Amino acid sequence: MEPTQIINHLKELLAGKWAGEGFAKFPTIDDTAYREETEFKPDEYKDSIFFAQKSWYKNDTDKNGHTVFWDTGFILLRENDILLHSAQVGGRIEQYKLTDHTENKFTFDSAAILVDPKAMRSQRVFTITTDAIDYELNMATHQAPEFQNHLKAHLNRIA
């Protein structure tokens, strides 16, 4: 597939609102379940998709219901590359590049990570069907240098 075809395919697959649950783990955090809402808004005139994602703790602690993560950005076509740009509530800014894809599975690997000296590498993997997204975030940090899974989520399309 050509890059223009890929971004158009992503626009079709992702457009809309999604909600579901996930689980986060990493050597430097307490494991936790969470609930998530994500919205993807394709631009009809540009090769880009705006996204906004927010998640909340879902556990038996004082943090239950509090924000875990908040992320916004774009998936876009630029100079024959499909990029994912992310700005996060904690201040981190990331650029990912699409490095592998099949019909419905898209792997984005970090190309640049700013405003977070702990982060070394991250990867986002989306498996998308008509009604669901299975999403993974894998990463390595200076405190936990082994590249490993950080979170997995399953989101369903909201009608």
Side-chain angles (χ1 to χ4, degrees), residues 76-142:
L76 53 106
L77 172 61
R78 184 161 184 193
E79 299 172 2
N80 288 321
D81 288 324
I82 306 294
L83 304 175
L84 187 154
H85 288 186
S86 161
Q88 302 164 14
V89 71
R92 181 185 341 196
I93 300 167
E94 293 182 87
Q95 179 188 60
Y96 294 82
K97 182 177 176 181
L98 182 69
T99 55
D100 191 32
H101 68 89
T102 61
E103 183 67 20
N104 291 6
K105 185 174 181 178
F106 302 85
T107 301
F108 291 87
D109 282 293
S110 57
I113 302 172
L114 305 171
V115 198
D116 186 351
K118 300 177 297 182
M120 292 173 49
R121 176 181 173 209
S122 60
Q123 178 186 70
R124 296 182 188 210
V125 181
F126 299 90
T127 304
I128 310 161
T129 63
T130 304
D131 298 321
I133 297 174
D134 287 298
Y135 166 75
E136 295 179 36
L137 176 66
N138 304 306
M139 66 183 204
T141 67
H142 290 287

